Amino acid sequence: MDGYHFRLAGANLIALGSGALYWPEKELLCVSDLHLGKSSRLSRQGGPLLPPYEVQDTLYRLETEIILSAAKTIVCLGDSFDDVEAASSLLDDEVLWLSRLQAGRCWVWIEGNHDPGQANIGGTHIENFNIPPLTFRHIPTVSQRREVAGHYHPKAQINLSGRNYSKPCFLLDEDRVVLPAFGTFTGGLKTQTVELLQLMKPNALAILTGKQSRAIPMPR
């Protein structure tokens, strides 16, 4: 598959331009921070209104990656729903869409800080997911190694032709890979923030998403 190929703890992985991660040996596709139901959550709480199609857009892009990769295992790295109520607020056709994507596949929902606990939406709900040599979790931890995580929605600021752009990115060092948010309208955290500077080693790479995945030194 097209994307940025790299090794983590001996596992051969591909950072896809969509922001998904693929592990060919395990036929495993991993995405992080879908934040399904964000528009409904903001509406419930009286926040700014977002276009109501964010769930459909996210599911369409996820389905595309599942079809292209032919993945048999799907791992969602937490914050798959924007809050506890979001899973129950999905429209019937959105629930059916998710059920169709889950059919015949091993589907793992990892708990996030936005969606702790089990949602009645199919699949397996778990705090961490271990497939040696890797551990999949929502929030990366400095003291851990060999981890695949999300949570921070990393974005790299780059300068092209004198103009600054912000691009969702993977962050990679010898201990971990941190995935960008896959969901629509999810925002992001600059790589220069204290949390990410403390988490990632000085030689870390930022793998930019887009039509062509490419790696640059993590902007600091």
Side-chain angles (χ1 to χ4, degrees):
M1 294 186 68
D2 291 336
Y4 183 84
H5 293 241
F6 64 94
R7 287 172 64 85
L8 178 64
N12 294 307
L13 305 172
I14 308 173
L16 302 176
S18 64
L21 181 74
Y22 186 55
W23 189 355
E25 181 185 359
K26 304 296 184 181
E27 298 180 290
L28 182 152
L29 185 76
C30 179
V31 292
S32 188
D33 295 273
L34 302 177
H35 284 274
L36 299 173
K38 182 172 183 176
S39 58
S40 66
R41 192 265 300 173
L42 289 173
S43 177
R44 272 188 278 113
Q45 296 180 352
L49 296 180
L50 293 178
Y53 57 78
E54 49 93 9
V55 173
Q56 294 91 336
D57 184 75
T58 298
L59 292 180
Y60 173 79
R61 291 184 293 105
L62 178 57
E63 181 175 32
T64 299
E65 292 303 325
I66 291 173
I67 292 172
L68 289 175
S69 65
K72 295 181 179 179
T73 298
I74 312 298
V75 178
C76 299
L77 277 181
D79 286 2
S80 300
F81 304 96
D82 204 54
D83 65 4
V84 175
E85 294 182 43
S88 60
S89 70
L90 297 182
L91 301 177
D92 289 345
D93 60 341
E94 295 165 349
V95 174
L96 288 173
W97 197 343
L98 265 175
S99 298
R100 181 166 52 83
L101 293 180
Q102 292 174 356
R105 300 182 176 94
C106 173
W107 195 286
V108 177
W109 301 105
I110 292 177
E111 293 181 4
N113 56 294
H114 277 254
D115 55 359
Q118 182 166 335
N120 186 25
I121 201 94
T124 299
H125 298 254
I126 193 169
E127 184 177 357
N128 298 318
F129 184 53
N130 296 299
I131 301 184
L134 301 178
T135 297
F136 296 79
R137 59 170 53 93
H138 180 58
I139 301 177
T141 306
V142 174
S143 60
Q144 300 296 325
R145 302 186 63 195
R146 301 180 174 186
E147 65 178 2
V148 180
H151 179 62
Y152 285 114
H153 305 199
K155 284 191 171 184
Q157 282 194 313
I158 57 176
N159 186 282
L160 295 174
S161 303
R163 298 187 63 181
N164 289 321
Y165 296 87
S166 182
K167 196 81 168 173
C169 64
F170 298 79
L171 297 181
L172 172 67
D173 62 21
E174 56 262 40
D175 290 336
R176 66 186 51 80
V177 58
V178 180
L179 273 64
F182 194 85
T184 303
F185 303 127
T186 45
L189 194 66
K190 295 179 182 178
T191 58
Q192 294 95 335
T193 57
V194 172
E195 295 91 338
L196 293 176
L197 292 175
Q198 292 177 342
L199 176 69
M200 304 304 297
K201 295 186 180 300
N203 62 345
L205 297 177
I207 305 168
L208 306 179
T209 58
K211 291 183 178 180
Q212 291 185 331
S213 300
R214 65 186 184 95
I216 62 172
M218 173 180 156
R220 292 178 176 270

